[in-house]
Short mmCIF file of all heavy atoms in Angstrom, two decimals:
data_model
loop_
_atom_site.label_atom_id
_atom_site.label_comp_id
_atom_site.label_asym_id
_atom_site.label_seq_id
_atom_site.Cartn_x
_atom_site.Cartn_y
_atom_site.Cartn_z
N PHE A 229 11.67 -15.65 1.08
CA PHE A 229 12.28 -16.87 1.62
C PHE A 229 11.68 -17.11 2.99
O PHE A 229 11.86 -16.32 3.91
CB PHE A 229 13.80 -16.68 1.70
CG PHE A 229 14.47 -17.65 2.63
CD1 PHE A 229 14.18 -19.01 2.56
CD2 PHE A 229 15.39 -17.24 3.57
CE1 PHE A 229 14.78 -19.92 3.42
CE2 PHE A 229 16.00 -18.14 4.44
CZ PHE A 229 15.68 -19.49 4.36
N GLU A 231 11.49 -19.36 6.35
CA GLU A 231 12.08 -20.40 7.20
C GLU A 231 11.45 -20.30 8.58
O GLU A 231 11.14 -19.19 9.06
CB GLU A 231 13.60 -20.21 7.32
CG GLU A 231 14.21 -21.22 8.30
CD GLU A 231 15.73 -21.26 8.29
OE1 GLU A 231 16.36 -20.24 7.99
OE2 GLU A 231 16.27 -22.34 8.61
N ASP A 232 11.29 -21.44 9.24
CA ASP A 232 10.75 -21.43 10.60
C ASP A 232 11.87 -21.08 11.57
O ASP A 232 12.45 -21.93 12.23
CB ASP A 232 10.12 -22.78 10.93
CG ASP A 232 9.34 -22.72 12.24
OD1 ASP A 232 9.32 -21.63 12.85
OD2 ASP A 232 8.77 -23.74 12.64
N ILE A 233 12.16 -19.78 11.61
CA ILE A 233 13.10 -19.19 12.55
C ILE A 233 12.33 -18.03 13.17
O ILE A 233 11.38 -17.52 12.56
CB ILE A 233 14.37 -18.72 11.81
CG1 ILE A 233 15.42 -18.14 12.74
CG2 ILE A 233 14.08 -17.73 10.72
CD1 ILE A 233 16.77 -17.83 12.03
N ASN A 234 12.64 -17.61 14.39
CA ASN A 234 11.93 -16.49 15.04
C ASN A 234 10.44 -16.78 15.22
O ASN A 234 9.63 -15.86 15.19
CB ASN A 234 12.04 -15.20 14.21
CG ASN A 234 13.44 -14.79 13.85
OD1 ASN A 234 14.32 -14.88 14.67
ND2 ASN A 234 13.64 -14.34 12.62
N ARG A 419 10.72 -19.41 -1.62
CA ARG A 419 11.70 -20.43 -1.24
C ARG A 419 11.33 -20.95 0.15
O ARG A 419 11.07 -20.16 1.06
CB ARG A 419 13.10 -19.81 -1.23
CG ARG A 419 14.21 -20.73 -0.75
CD ARG A 419 15.56 -20.01 -0.79
NE ARG A 419 16.64 -20.91 -0.42
CZ ARG A 419 17.43 -20.76 0.65
NH1 ARG A 419 17.26 -19.73 1.48
NH2 ARG A 419 18.39 -21.62 0.90
N PRO A 421 11.68 -24.86 2.86
CA PRO A 421 11.31 -24.42 4.20
C PRO A 421 12.53 -23.83 4.94
O PRO A 421 12.42 -23.52 6.11
CB PRO A 421 10.89 -25.72 4.87
CG PRO A 421 11.83 -26.74 4.30
CD PRO A 421 12.07 -26.30 2.88
N GLY A 422 13.65 -23.67 4.35
CA GLY A 422 14.85 -23.11 5.00
C GLY A 422 15.97 -23.16 3.98
O GLY A 422 15.76 -23.64 2.86
N GLY A 423 17.10 -22.67 4.36
CA GLY A 423 17.62 -22.37 5.66
C GLY A 423 18.16 -23.64 6.35
O GLY A 423 18.08 -24.77 5.89
N CYS A 424 18.82 -23.31 7.45
CA CYS A 424 19.49 -24.35 8.23
C CYS A 424 18.54 -25.45 8.70
O CYS A 424 19.00 -26.56 8.99
CB CYS A 424 20.19 -23.72 9.43
SG CYS A 424 21.55 -22.66 8.97
N ILE A 425 17.23 -25.15 8.83
CA ILE A 425 16.38 -26.24 9.32
C ILE A 425 16.24 -27.37 8.29
O ILE A 425 15.83 -28.47 8.64
CB ILE A 425 14.98 -25.77 9.77
CG1 ILE A 425 14.15 -25.26 8.62
CG2 ILE A 425 15.05 -24.75 10.88
CD1 ILE A 425 12.67 -25.24 8.98
N VAL A 426 16.61 -27.10 7.05
CA VAL A 426 16.62 -28.18 6.05
C VAL A 426 17.65 -29.23 6.47
O VAL A 426 17.44 -30.44 6.31
CB VAL A 426 16.97 -27.61 4.66
CG1 VAL A 426 17.27 -28.72 3.67
CG2 VAL A 426 15.84 -26.73 4.15
N GLU A 427 18.76 -28.73 7.02
CA GLU A 427 19.87 -29.63 7.39
C GLU A 427 19.66 -30.25 8.77
O GLU A 427 19.93 -31.44 8.96
CB GLU A 427 21.17 -28.82 7.39
CG GLU A 427 21.48 -28.17 6.07
CD GLU A 427 22.13 -26.80 6.23
OE1 GLU A 427 22.51 -26.43 7.34
OE2 GLU A 427 22.24 -26.09 5.23
N ARG A 453 15.94 -26.51 14.45
CA ARG A 453 17.37 -26.21 14.45
C ARG A 453 17.70 -24.92 15.24
O ARG A 453 18.78 -24.73 15.78
CB ARG A 453 17.82 -26.11 12.99
CG ARG A 453 18.95 -25.16 12.65
CD ARG A 453 20.29 -25.72 13.06
NE ARG A 453 21.38 -24.85 12.71
CZ ARG A 453 21.71 -23.72 13.36
NH1 ARG A 453 21.02 -23.32 14.38
NH2 ARG A 453 22.75 -23.01 12.97
N TRP A 454 16.69 -24.04 15.34
CA TRP A 454 16.92 -22.75 16.00
C TRP A 454 16.54 -22.78 17.47
O TRP A 454 16.58 -21.75 18.16
CB TRP A 454 16.13 -21.65 15.27
CG TRP A 454 16.60 -21.51 13.87
CD1 TRP A 454 15.96 -21.93 12.74
CD2 TRP A 454 17.84 -20.96 13.43
NE1 TRP A 454 16.70 -21.67 11.62
CE2 TRP A 454 17.88 -21.07 12.02
CE3 TRP A 454 18.93 -20.38 14.08
CZ2 TRP A 454 18.96 -20.62 11.27
CZ3 TRP A 454 20.00 -19.94 13.33
CH2 TRP A 454 20.00 -20.07 11.93
N CYS A 498 23.92 -29.62 9.28
CA CYS A 498 24.44 -28.25 9.27
C CYS A 498 25.97 -28.27 9.38
O CYS A 498 26.51 -28.81 10.34
CB CYS A 498 23.82 -27.47 10.43
SG CYS A 498 24.44 -25.80 10.55
N PHE A 500 27.98 -25.75 9.87
CA PHE A 500 28.46 -24.89 10.97
C PHE A 500 28.50 -25.66 12.29
O PHE A 500 29.37 -25.47 13.11
CB PHE A 500 27.54 -23.67 11.14
CG PHE A 500 27.74 -22.64 10.07
CD1 PHE A 500 26.75 -22.37 9.15
CD2 PHE A 500 28.93 -21.92 10.00
CE1 PHE A 500 26.93 -21.41 8.17
CE2 PHE A 500 29.12 -20.96 9.01
CZ PHE A 500 28.12 -20.71 8.10
N ASN A 559 21.22 -26.47 1.30
CA ASN A 559 20.95 -25.07 1.64
C ASN A 559 22.19 -24.21 1.51
O ASN A 559 22.39 -23.55 0.51
CB ASN A 559 20.37 -24.97 3.05
CG ASN A 559 20.44 -23.56 3.59
OD1 ASN A 559 20.07 -22.63 2.87
ND2 ASN A 559 20.92 -23.36 4.80
N GLU A 560 23.04 -24.25 2.49
CA GLU A 560 24.17 -23.30 2.50
C GLU A 560 25.44 -24.12 2.68
O GLU A 560 26.20 -23.90 3.59
CB GLU A 560 23.96 -22.33 3.66
CG GLU A 560 24.79 -21.08 3.61
CD GLU A 560 24.49 -20.17 4.79
OE1 GLU A 560 24.78 -20.57 5.94
OE2 GLU A 560 23.96 -19.08 4.59
N GLN A 561 25.63 -25.11 1.81
CA GLN A 561 26.75 -26.02 1.96
C GLN A 561 27.96 -25.54 1.18
O GLN A 561 27.84 -24.75 0.26
CB GLN A 561 26.34 -27.42 1.47
CG GLN A 561 25.82 -28.32 2.55
CD GLN A 561 24.35 -28.10 2.86
OE1 GLN A 561 23.56 -27.85 1.96
NE2 GLN A 561 24.00 -28.21 4.12
N GLY A 591 27.58 -21.50 -0.83
CA GLY A 591 27.95 -21.49 0.58
C GLY A 591 27.64 -20.18 1.28
O GLY A 591 26.95 -19.32 0.73
N PRO A 592 28.17 -19.99 2.47
CA PRO A 592 27.81 -18.82 3.29
C PRO A 592 28.60 -17.56 2.98
O PRO A 592 28.24 -16.49 3.48
CB PRO A 592 28.11 -19.30 4.71
CG PRO A 592 29.16 -20.35 4.54
CD PRO A 592 29.00 -20.97 3.19
N ASP A 615 22.79 -20.42 -5.57
CA ASP A 615 22.19 -19.69 -4.45
C ASP A 615 23.30 -19.03 -3.63
O ASP A 615 24.12 -19.71 -3.01
CB ASP A 615 21.40 -20.72 -3.62
CG ASP A 615 20.75 -20.12 -2.39
OD1 ASP A 615 20.75 -18.89 -2.26
OD2 ASP A 615 20.24 -20.92 -1.57
N HIS A 617 24.48 -16.33 -0.57
CA HIS A 617 23.98 -15.73 0.68
C HIS A 617 24.90 -14.62 1.14
O HIS A 617 26.12 -14.81 1.19
CB HIS A 617 23.89 -16.79 1.78
CG HIS A 617 22.88 -17.86 1.50
ND1 HIS A 617 22.63 -18.91 2.34
CD2 HIS A 617 22.01 -18.01 0.45
CE1 HIS A 617 21.68 -19.69 1.83
NE2 HIS A 617 21.30 -19.16 0.68
N TYR A 619 24.80 -11.75 4.30
CA TYR A 619 24.36 -10.85 5.36
C TYR A 619 25.58 -9.98 5.65
O TYR A 619 26.54 -10.44 6.28
CB TYR A 619 23.98 -11.64 6.61
CG TYR A 619 22.84 -12.64 6.37
CD1 TYR A 619 23.09 -14.00 6.19
CD2 TYR A 619 21.53 -12.19 6.35
CE1 TYR A 619 22.05 -14.89 5.99
CE2 TYR A 619 20.48 -13.09 6.15
CZ TYR A 619 20.74 -14.43 5.97
OH TYR A 619 19.72 -15.31 5.76
N GLY A 645 19.78 -15.83 -2.70
CA GLY A 645 18.75 -16.52 -1.92
C GLY A 645 18.57 -16.04 -0.50
O GLY A 645 17.51 -16.26 0.11
N GLU A 646 19.60 -15.41 0.08
CA GLU A 646 19.48 -14.86 1.43
C GLU A 646 20.38 -13.65 1.50
O GLU A 646 21.59 -13.76 1.29
CB GLU A 646 19.94 -15.88 2.49
CG GLU A 646 19.04 -17.09 2.61
CD GLU A 646 19.48 -18.03 3.72
OE1 GLU A 646 20.10 -17.57 4.70
OE2 GLU A 646 19.22 -19.24 3.58
N TYR A 647 19.81 -12.51 1.79
CA TYR A 647 20.65 -11.32 1.98
C TYR A 647 19.90 -10.30 2.81
O TYR A 647 18.67 -10.29 2.88
CB TYR A 647 21.08 -10.72 0.63
CG TYR A 647 19.96 -10.07 -0.14
CD1 TYR A 647 19.72 -8.70 -0.04
CD2 TYR A 647 19.14 -10.82 -0.96
CE1 TYR A 647 18.69 -8.10 -0.74
CE2 TYR A 647 18.10 -10.23 -1.65
CZ TYR A 647 17.87 -8.88 -1.54
OH TYR A 647 16.83 -8.29 -2.22
N HIS A 650 23.14 -5.75 7.48
CA HIS A 650 23.18 -5.80 8.95
C HIS A 650 23.96 -4.60 9.46
O HIS A 650 25.14 -4.47 9.18
CB HIS A 650 23.86 -7.10 9.41
CG HIS A 650 22.96 -8.28 9.30
ND1 HIS A 650 23.06 -9.38 10.11
CD2 HIS A 650 21.90 -8.54 8.49
CE1 HIS A 650 22.12 -10.26 9.80
NE2 HIS A 650 21.41 -9.77 8.80
N TYR A 684 15.16 -11.69 0.17
CA TYR A 684 15.64 -11.13 1.43
C TYR A 684 15.47 -12.19 2.53
O TYR A 684 14.58 -13.02 2.47
CB TYR A 684 14.80 -9.90 1.76
CG TYR A 684 15.14 -9.21 3.06
CD1 TYR A 684 15.95 -8.08 3.08
CD2 TYR A 684 14.63 -9.68 4.27
CE1 TYR A 684 16.25 -7.43 4.27
CE2 TYR A 684 14.93 -9.04 5.46
CZ TYR A 684 15.74 -7.93 5.46
OH TYR A 684 16.04 -7.29 6.63
N ALA A 685 16.26 -12.11 3.59
CA ALA A 685 16.10 -13.09 4.67
C ALA A 685 16.54 -12.49 6.00
O ALA A 685 17.43 -11.62 6.03
CB ALA A 685 16.94 -14.33 4.38
N PRO A 686 15.99 -13.04 7.12
CA PRO A 686 14.78 -13.85 7.18
C PRO A 686 13.50 -13.01 6.99
O PRO A 686 13.56 -11.78 6.97
CB PRO A 686 14.79 -14.44 8.59
CG PRO A 686 16.20 -14.30 9.08
CD PRO A 686 16.71 -13.06 8.40
N LEU A 687 12.40 -13.73 6.91
CA LEU A 687 11.13 -13.10 6.55
C LEU A 687 10.36 -12.59 7.76
O LEU A 687 9.92 -11.44 7.79
CB LEU A 687 10.30 -14.16 5.79
CG LEU A 687 8.94 -13.75 5.26
CD1 LEU A 687 9.05 -12.60 4.29
CD2 LEU A 687 8.28 -14.95 4.56
N TRP A 696 17.03 -13.94 15.48
CA TRP A 696 17.83 -13.41 14.38
C TRP A 696 17.18 -12.10 13.92
O TRP A 696 15.97 -12.06 13.71
CB TRP A 696 17.82 -14.43 13.23
CG TRP A 696 18.64 -14.06 12.03
CD1 TRP A 696 18.45 -12.99 11.21
CD2 TRP A 696 19.75 -14.76 11.49
NE1 TRP A 696 19.37 -12.97 10.21
CE2 TRP A 696 20.18 -14.06 10.36
CE3 TRP A 696 20.43 -15.93 11.86
CZ2 TRP A 696 21.26 -14.47 9.58
CZ3 TRP A 696 21.50 -16.35 11.09
CH2 TRP A 696 21.91 -15.62 9.95
N PRO A 698 18.21 -8.35 11.39
CA PRO A 698 16.89 -7.83 11.04
C PRO A 698 16.01 -8.86 10.33
O PRO A 698 16.51 -9.88 9.84
CB PRO A 698 17.22 -6.68 10.09
CG PRO A 698 18.51 -7.07 9.45
CD PRO A 698 19.27 -7.81 10.51
N ASP A 699 14.72 -8.56 10.27
CA ASP A 699 13.74 -9.41 9.60
C ASP A 699 12.77 -8.52 8.84
O ASP A 699 12.62 -7.35 9.17
CB ASP A 699 12.98 -10.25 10.63
CG ASP A 699 13.94 -11.07 11.48
OD1 ASP A 699 14.51 -12.03 10.96
OD2 ASP A 699 14.17 -10.70 12.65
O1 LIG B 1102 18.32 -16.87 7.41
C1 LIG B 1102 18.90 -17.40 8.55
C2 LIG B 1102 19.97 -18.44 8.23
O2 LIG B 1102 21.04 -17.87 7.60
C3 LIG B 1102 19.54 -19.53 7.30
O3 LIG B 1102 18.88 -20.54 7.96
C4 LIG B 1102 20.85 -20.05 6.76
O4 LIG B 1102 20.74 -20.54 5.47
C5 LIG B 1102 21.77 -18.86 6.87
O5 LIG B 1102 22.92 -19.18 7.56
#
Side-chain angles (χ1 to χ4, degrees):
F229 161 47
E231 175 170 29
D232 190 0
I233 182 172
N234 306 318
R419 175 180 184 243
C424 293
I425 67 161
V426 168
E427 302 143 10
R453 148 76 179 76
W454 298 105
C498 178
F500 285 113
N559 164 47
E560 196 179 65
Q561 266 83 38
D615 178 10
H617 294 179
Y619 300 101
E646 293 183 28
Y647 70 95
H650 283 208
Y684 179 99
L687 182 59
W696 182 298
D699 304 288

